[in-house]
């Protein structure tokens, strides 16, 4: 077969061969690309597109058992969620969570990236070391931080030892500290991620830009403020968008450490979504909830792209 | 180091200032690294303590009598070995499956001209915008109808679908950047297209495929939400679900065992990272620019 193909291909440039499978000379549609795409498209359609459409339909229905009878209820599911005070509580917490997840690692990552980019020898090793938490499983990170912040954990031992507090604090059981505790873990896990994105951005700025600034007698801060930052905008934008989408998706971070408690003080949109759908078994309401999440993630990303005036992404 | 600073160093010879900057930079980075390392150190340190030692407050900063008993006890008393095996099967299976589907797709999208090319590419990238968990409920229904709930295969199919867009995206830029004339040369040599793809293009794209494989493996190894929802029998848990359930069940009594297993769960990723850190970091940093 291959030898025949070989021959026909050789001749095929000049003499159309109707038996050859890839005859570019024959007019009509060349199906080869679609053959390569087919398996991926089938998986995509069955496992993602169909459920996506089904979620949308389900969000206007009431179902008591999965796969059971569905009844149309109009916008009731959406109304039920939007009038649920815990949803708003979770939404507010997600904003705090988002700020902690986006801006704290961004500032830390930027500072570290600038330090590493100074060109002092040996600094690239630090990049790899600070990146390590990114690949640590979320569940492991949650368990370890839960233990670090526990009553007989390292942090309490340090705070009591230093005389800052008298009694060990139950950080994860406190309505004030539960969310910041989770955020501490999030910052630990994300700083390295942002660091590598921002560092790649910094290294992409050509040296002669800095040289020009130096010749013009700009100070270090001026150079950073007026040259580095604007040139780094695409990279910063990327970290902000990823951060926002991830904070709407974030689930295991909170689920493992606090489960959303105590009394919803660390509840975020995704953990409450999971409770509505799989603990309270309100699938229609859960589907509507899912679409609200989707709309939020999409709107926020579009807003960020718009306001930063960037079409770079 | 930029050329300007280098020249300035040589000309002005203010090496004292440079030393101060150098020490300051290295110092600040060292502090940051120590802060990053503390939780991981604490995980390993706790995993080497006895049950009595972990209850002491203030805690021992260094295990007084390091022991691997927590590792042995956990592996003997719990289904940890099974959970590790499940995770390897699911992560490995997803990686192979998604690469088998995404590589040919990314290849034609990156290197062939055809009418539907652009819309199909946008379709694949579009998945990246959907938070996967909103599909949780209908996927659960669909998978239970197909008999894929509570199976490793079901999770492999789900993960492959989630990472499809990502891998197509990653490999697309890789294929686009290969030299243009590869196929032409093969074509003139009379090699059919599918052989060119398998024998010429694939080997050239190896670094890109390896990067994608590492990413998918690490991400699926760490995935929690879908594993938690789709796997209900204890025998089928992945390591992440196992750790979380074990924490809930056993409380603080056997935290040393929990940490021993956490350390084991992290170890393969650390080894992979040590071996491929450059690809990993470059992939992660470059991911969002192309």
């Amino acid at each position: 077969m291959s030898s025949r193909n070989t021959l026909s291909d050789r001749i095929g440039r000049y003499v159309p061969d109707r038996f050859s499978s890839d005859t570019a000379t024959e007019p009509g549609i060349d199906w080869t690309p679609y053959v390569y795409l087919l398996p991926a498209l089938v998986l995509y359609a069955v496992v993602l597109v169909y459920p996506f459409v089904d979620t949308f339909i389900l969000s206007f229905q009431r179902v008591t058992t999965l796969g059971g009878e569905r009844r149309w209820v109009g916008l009731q599911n959406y109304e039920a969620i939007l009038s649920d005070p815990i949803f708003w509580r979770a939404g507010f917490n997600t904003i705090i969570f988002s700020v902690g997840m986006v801006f704290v690692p961004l500032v830390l990552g930027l500072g570290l990236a600038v330090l590493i980019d100074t060109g002092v020898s040996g600094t690239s090793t630090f990049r790899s070391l600070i990146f390590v938490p990114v690949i640590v499983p979320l569940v492991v990170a949650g368990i370890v931080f839960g233990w670090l912040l526990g009553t007989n954990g390292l942090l309490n031992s340090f705070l009591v030892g230093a005389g800052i507090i008298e009694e060990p604090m139950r950080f994860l059981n406190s309505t004030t500290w539960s969310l910041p505790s989770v955020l501490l873990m999030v910052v630990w896990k994300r700083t390295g991620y942002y660091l590598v994105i921002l560092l790649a951005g910094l290294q992409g700025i050509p040296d002669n830009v800095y040289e020009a600034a130096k010749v013009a007698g700009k100070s270090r801060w001026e150079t950073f403020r007026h040259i580095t930052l604007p040139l780094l905008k695409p990279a910063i934008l990327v970290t902000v968008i990823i951060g926002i989408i991830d904070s709407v998706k974030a689930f295991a971070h909170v689920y493992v450490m606090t489960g959303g408690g105590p009394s919803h003080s660390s509840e975020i949109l995704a953990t409450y979504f999971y409770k509505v759908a799989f603990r309270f078994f309100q699938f229609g309401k859960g589907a509507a909830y899912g679409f609200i999440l989707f709309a939020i993630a999409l709107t926020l990303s579009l807003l960020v792209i718009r306001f930063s005036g960037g079409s770079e992404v | 180091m930029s050329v300007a600073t280098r020249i300035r160093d040589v000309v002005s010879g203010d090496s004292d200032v440079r030393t101060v900057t150098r020490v300051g930079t290295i110092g600040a980075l060292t502090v940051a690294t120590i802060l990053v390392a503390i939780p991981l150190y604490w995980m390993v340190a706790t995993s080497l303590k006895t049950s009595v030692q972990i209850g002491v407050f203030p805690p021992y900063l260094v295990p007084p009598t390091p022991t691997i008993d927590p590792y042995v006890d956990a592996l003997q008393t719990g289904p940890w070995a099974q959970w590790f095996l499940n995770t390897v099967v699911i992560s490995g299976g997803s990686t192979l499956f998604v690469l088998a589907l995404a590589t040919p797709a990314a290849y034609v999208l990156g290197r062939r001209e055809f009418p539907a090319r652009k819309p199909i590419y946008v379709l694949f990238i579009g998945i990246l915008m959907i938070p996967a968990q909103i599909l949780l409920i209908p996927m659960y229904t669909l998978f239970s109808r197909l008999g894929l709930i509570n199976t490793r295969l079901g999770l492999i199919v789900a993960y492959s679908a989630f990472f499809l867009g990502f891998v197509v995206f990653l490999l697309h830029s890789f294929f686009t950047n290969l030299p243009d004339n590869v196929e032409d040369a093969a074509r003139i040599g009379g090699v059919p297209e599918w052989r060119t793809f398998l024998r010429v293009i694939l080997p050239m794209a190896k670094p890109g495929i390896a990067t994608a494989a590492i990413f998918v493996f690490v991400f699926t190894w760490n995935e929690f939400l879908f594993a938690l929802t789709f796997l209900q029998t204890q025998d089928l848990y992945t390591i992440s679900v196992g750790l979380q359930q074990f924490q809930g069940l056993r409380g603080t009594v056997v935290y040393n065992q929990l940490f021993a297993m956490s350390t084991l769960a992290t170890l393969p990723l650390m080894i992979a990272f040590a071996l491929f850190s450059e690809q990993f970091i470059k992939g992660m940093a470059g991911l969002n620019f192309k």
Side-chain angles (χ1 to χ4, degrees):
Chain A
M1 144 120 196
S2 75
S3 69
R4 203 189 64 84
N5 247 350
T6 307
L7 195 62
S8 74
D9 250 34
R10 256 181 218 151
I11 308 167
R13 321 244 135 230
Y14 313 101
V15 187
D17 177 358
R18 70 183 64 218
F19 299 107
S20 165
S21 57
D22 51 16
T23 45
T25 41
E26 191 121 0
I29 304 167
D30 177 12
W31 290 103
T32 340
Y34 301 98
V35 175
Y36 282 76
L37 284 166
L38 191 66
L41 282 176
V42 168
L43 183 72
Y44 181 81
V46 174
V47 182
L48 297 174
V49 177
Y50 166 73
F52 187 70
V53 175
D54 201 31
T55 310
F56 188 64
I57 297 170
L58 189 63
S59 72
F60 300 103
Q61 293 174 325
R62 178 159 300 155
V63 211
T64 38
T65 50
L66 265 187
E69 199 191 335
R70 296 166 164 208
R71 212 155 40 78
W72 290 96
V73 292
L75 288 170
Q76 270 183 30
N77 290 323
Y78 288 92
E79 284 164 10
I81 286 158
L82 295 176
S83 59
D84 183 345
I86 302 171
F87 169 78
W88 292 102
R89 180 78 199 266
F92 179 71
N93 285 342
T94 306
I95 295 175
I96 299 175
F97 191 80
S98 222
V99 172
M101 192 168 195
V102 176
F103 292 102
V104 181
L106 179 60
V107 171
L108 291 175
L110 187 57
L112 291 169
V114 168
L115 284 180
I116 291 176
D117 195 45
T118 48
V120 173
S121 58
T123 45
S124 67
T125 320
F126 287 107
R127 178 191 62 166
S128 300
L129 292 174
I130 295 170
F131 186 80
V132 165
V134 178
I135 55 163
V136 172
L138 253 180
V139 174
V140 169
I143 290 172
V144 171
F145 270 79
W147 177 244
L148 280 173
L149 298 172
T151 42
N152 55 356
L154 200 57
L155 184 67
N156 268 310
S157 151
F158 172 76
L159 291 175
V160 172
I164 298 170
I165 53 174
E166 283 176 17
E167 287 283 298
M169 294 254 300
R170 295 165 64 85
F171 289 103
L172 297 180
N173 296 48
S174 139
T175 49
T176 320
W177 291 104
S178 55
L179 195 58
S181 301
V182 177
L183 278 173
L184 187 67
M185 183 273 278
V186 171
V187 168
W188 176 75
K189 224 173 145 4
R190 274 188 103 76
T191 300
Y193 182 20
Y194 287 1
L195 164 66
V196 300
I197 295 177
L198 296 168
L199 186 59
L202 279 179
Q203 287 166 345
I205 299 174
D207 274 353
N208 53 17
V209 173
Y210 293 120
E211 279 155 32
K214 214 154 253 165
V215 170
K218 298 272 185 196
S219 75
R220 268 196 162 174
W221 170 249
E222 280 173 327
T223 311
F224 179 75
R225 175 73 191 76
H226 297 294
I227 295 171
T228 314
L229 270 188
L231 285 173
L232 208 54
K233 204 172 89 177
I236 292 175
L237 191 60
V238 164
T239 60
V240 172
I241 293 171
I242 298 175
I244 288 175
I245 296 178
D246 283 356
S247 64
V248 177
K249 287 201 270 190
F251 171 75
H253 317 65
V254 166
Y255 190 83
V256 173
M257 282 181 76
T258 66
S263 60
H264 301 293
S265 59
S266 60
E267 199 79 80
I268 53 173
L269 288 170
T271 51
Y272 191 53
F273 162 77
Y274 191 78
K275 283 178 191 168
V276 168
F278 285 93
R279 206 166 289 167
F280 312 145
F281 301 108
Q282 295 167 311
F283 303 113
K285 199 174 156 188
Y289 200 138
F291 254 86
I292 295 175
L293 280 185
F294 175 54
I296 294 172
L298 199 63
T299 315
L300 287 175
S301 324
L302 293 177
L303 277 181
V304 172
I305 295 173
R306 168 138 216 165
F307 279 110
S308 10
S311 53
E312 295 97 335
V313 176
Chain B
M1 193 188 297
S2 72
V3 179
T5 44
R6 238 178 249 156
I7 293 171
R8 200 194 58 185
D9 272 8
V10 174
V11 174
S12 65
D14 54 351
S15 55
D16 284 353
V17 180
R18 293 297 298 163
T19 312
V20 172
T21 322
R22 198 183 136 77
V23 170
T25 306
I26 299 279
L29 287 170
T30 308
V31 171
T33 306
I34 290 172
L35 287 175
V36 161
I38 285 175
L40 293 174
Y41 166 76
W42 201 240
M43 171 175 81
V44 178
T46 310
S47 77
L48 299 172
K49 292 178 187 172
T50 65
S51 308
V52 179
Q53 287 162 359
I54 58 168
V56 176
F57 186 82
Y60 294 108
L61 295 182
V62 177
T65 51
T67 166
I68 59 159
D69 285 352
Y71 289 82
V72 178
D73 291 345
L75 287 171
Q76 278 175 352
T77 55
W80 294 99
Q82 179 68 44
W83 292 346
F84 276 110
L85 181 70
N86 294 339
T87 316
V88 170
V89 169
I90 291 171
S91 287
S94 308
T95 309
L96 290 178
F97 195 49
V98 75
L99 281 175
L101 298 189
T103 313
Y107 161 69
V108 287
L109 289 172
R111 300 191 69 81
R112 291 286 301 263
E113 279 301 334
F114 56 100
R117 189 174 72 117
K118 193 106 200 220
I120 291 181
Y121 182 61
V122 171
L123 204 69
F124 278 117
I125 302 309
I127 321 177
L128 299 172
M129 292 297 285
I130 304 174
Q133 75 228 41
I134 78 164
L135 306 176
L136 205 51
I137 298 166
M139 271 182 72
Y140 190 93
T141 324
L142 174 73
F143 277 46
S144 48
R145 227 181 298 151
L146 298 172
L148 288 173
I149 282 296
N150 204 23
T151 65
R152 282 170 287 231
L153 180 63
L155 217 49
I156 290 176
V157 171
Y159 286 165
S160 301
F162 293 149
F163 287 105
L164 199 56
F166 170 75
V167 177
V168 166
F169 177 61
L170 195 81
L171 291 180
H172 177 267
S173 63
F174 214 89
F175 283 127
T176 321
N177 291 337
L178 292 180
D180 274 338
N181 48 12
V182 178
E183 285 98 333
D184 292 341
R187 209 184 179 87
I188 291 164
V191 184
E193 176 167 11
W194 62 271
R195 282 195 57 173
T196 315
F197 173 61
L198 286 180
R199 296 285 169 79
V200 184
I201 301 284
L202 276 191
M204 289 177 83
K206 239 186 216 159
I209 293 173
T211 306
I214 299 165
F215 272 110
V216 176
F217 191 83
V218 171
F219 287 156
T220 51
W221 185 277
N222 292 345
E223 204 282 335
F224 178 65
L225 177 60
F226 278 82
L228 175 74
T229 313
F230 282 18
L231 303 173
Q232 288 136 356
T233 326
Q234 207 190 349
D235 297 348
L236 293 173
Y237 284 172
T238 61
I239 193 68
S240 280
V241 180
L243 283 168
Q244 194 269 335
Q245 298 282 333
F246 187 79
Q247 181 197 27
L249 287 178
R250 308 293 290 274
T252 55
V253 187
V254 282
Y255 250 94
N256 51 352
Q257 288 186 27
L258 186 64
F259 279 57
M261 294 303 106
S262 297
T263 306
L264 284 190
T266 313
L267 202 60
L269 304 178
M270 291 296 166
I271 293 170
F273 182 64
L275 292 175
F276 305 105
S277 63
E278 275 312 300
Q279 284 99 314
F280 212 96
I281 288 176
K282 283 214 181 87
M284 205 92 173
L287 217 59
N288 313 289
F289 288 110
K290 297 275 163 67

